[in-house]
Amino acid sequence: MADQQLSAEQRTAFQLHHKKMTKSTLLRRSVFLFFGAVLMSVGLEIFLVPNRIIDGGITGISIILSYLTHVQVGIFLTILNLPFLYIGYKMIGKTFALSTFFAILVMSIGTALLHPVPPLTIDPLLAAVFGGIILGIGVGMVIRFGGSLDGTEIVAILVSKKIPFSVGEIVMFFNLFILGSAGFVYSWDRAMYSLIAYFIAYKMIDVTIEGFDESKSVWIISDSFRSIGEAILDRLGRGVTYLEGEGGFSGDTKKVIFCVITRLEEAKLKSIVEELDPGAFLAVGNIHDVKGGRFKKRDIH
């Protein structure tokens, strides 16, 4: 799942981890890295690999090579990811490299221990769905706590500097090529099951990293800004900020309401705006991280 492995937010987070960590923080990180790597091992050896279903990135290449050579997938995962440890150390830092090495080591040992275990299902659809869920949670957990299990995006970052394509476009092309290869190595129905597993894992990584309580930014332009702002404060318990704006066509001064809410509060906020000013301009966007300020919800009595 390379396209989720090193987002801009993650690279920034990795760089900030250079500061010395406390023992409790180090222990917490190690525990979650361990369980994330174990979950990935389970997703691979108990669901995907026995049913000839692959994932994207280095993981997909390792599964194909394992099938062709009859060598355990964990060995290829370790060998193919080793060069990216050095690159990651140079590009991101020592903490990221050590976290990644620990996660890869646990994953490799886990796949070796689970290799003799029979799969829980031989139904390819069930294997794709549950394998994708478990794999995505494992990879997302490792990313969330400062590591990585796939170096594809690091390569894409380096290559993008020399060709006119973005990192995302390079990763997408790379993964489509890998997933398409499953059609030639296995069969085309296995390639389609692999796409299902890849999509589910992709979504589960997002959920694991960001959580179900996803934050959203809200921008509201209305002449009734004061009443809308007070209603948001009273009914949702969210603080608001009033910004000064100017209409591009009219040149009139406008008040812009800005606030941050959770995904579950979006419907309630829209009903508030609709009630107080049906003609108000409303824009809602996703936010990957919120820190500081007074975002913590105020108690509503």
Side-chain angles (χ1 to χ4, degrees):
M1 304 306 301
D3 42 330
Q4 288 295 313
Q5 289 288 322
L6 294 172
S7 64
E9 292 86 355
Q10 287 295 316
R11 288 194 293 270
T12 302
F14 293 150
Q15 291 168 350
L16 293 176
H17 283 307
H18 280 294
K19 61 183 181 181
K20 188 175 180 179
M21 291 184 291
T22 63
K23 291 183 178 179
S24 60
T25 302
L26 180 61
L27 177 62
R28 181 169 178 265
R29 167 182 286 212
S30 300
V31 168
F32 279 101
L33 288 173
F34 175 83
F35 280 111
V38 169
L39 284 175
M40 184 171 182
S41 303
V42 172
L44 288 173
E45 289 291 351
I46 304 299
F47 291 96
L48 300 186
V49 174
N51 288 281
R52 295 177 295 166
I53 298 172
I54 72 170
D55 187 32
I58 299 300
T59 304
I61 296 176
S62 300
I63 294 174
I64 291 176
L65 290 176
S66 174
Y67 174 77
L68 295 175
T69 62
H70 304 290
V71 176
Q72 290 185 11
V73 67
I75 295 176
F76 285 110
L77 283 168
T78 303
I79 294 174
L80 295 179
N81 274 304
L82 281 177
F84 303 117
L85 285 174
Y86 177 77
I87 298 174
Y89 173 77
K90 290 294 184 180
M91 292 182 60
I92 301 169
K94 180 180 178 181
T95 302
F96 166 74
L98 291 175
S99 299
T100 299
F101 176 74
F102 175 72
I104 291 174
L105 183 64
V106 172
M107 177 185 62
S108 301
I109 295 174
T111 54
L113 295 175
L114 292 171
H115 187 69
V117 179
L120 290 182
T121 179
I122 57 173
D123 185 316
L125 181 58
L126 289 176
V129 172
F130 285 94
I133 291 173
I134 295 173
L135 185 74
I137 293 174
V139 173
M141 195 177 293
V142 171
I143 295 173
R144 184 165 183 168
F145 288 89
S148 174
L149 289 171
D150 197 305
T152 309
E153 188 167 326
I154 297 177
V155 175
I157 293 171
L158 298 176
V159 174
S160 66
K161 297 177 181 179
K162 300 181 180 180
I163 60 177
F165 294 100
S166 67
V167 173
E169 290 170 338
I170 295 171
V171 170
M172 181 181 66
F173 174 79
F174 190 61
N175 283 329
L176 286 176
F177 175 77
I178 294 171
L179 293 168
S181 300
F184 296 98
V185 176
Y186 300 131
S187 61
W188 290 109
D189 66 327
R190 299 294 161 166
M192 289 184 278
Y193 285 125
S194 297
L195 283 172
I196 294 174
Y198 174 79
F199 178 77
I200 292 174
Y202 179 91
K203 290 299 180 182
M204 289 308 301
I205 289 173
D206 279 345
V207 170
T208 305
I209 294 174
E210 299 172 8
F212 288 99
D213 198 24
E214 182 182 353
S215 299
K216 291 180 175 288
S217 61
V218 179
W219 303 81
I220 306 168
I221 302 176
S222 170
D223 293 332
S224 304
F225 65 92
R226 187 68 64 181
S227 58
I228 293 176
E230 290 175 354
I232 293 173
L233 183 62
D234 293 336
R235 299 189 202 177
L236 292 181
R238 294 295 181 190
V240 299
T241 301
Y242 298 111
L243 307 174
E244 294 287 346
E246 181 179 333
F249 291 103
S250 64
D252 296 336
T253 301
K254 300 284 185 180
K255 282 287 188 180
V256 181
I257 304 171
F258 173 75
C259 67
V260 176
I261 61 173
T262 67
R263 177 175 57 85
L264 300 177
E265 295 168 334
E266 182 179 353
K268 179 65 175 177
L269 181 136
K270 288 181 178 179
S271 67
I272 292 173
V273 176
E274 179 68 23
E275 173 190 334
L276 298 177
D277 184 4
F281 173 83
L282 172 65
V284 181
N286 294 325
I287 296 179
H288 293 291
D289 197 12
V290 179
K291 292 182 180 179
R294 297 181 179 179
F295 177 66
K296 187 176 181 180
K297 191 168 183 177
R298 181 178 65 81
D299 292 332
I300 302 176
H301 302 286

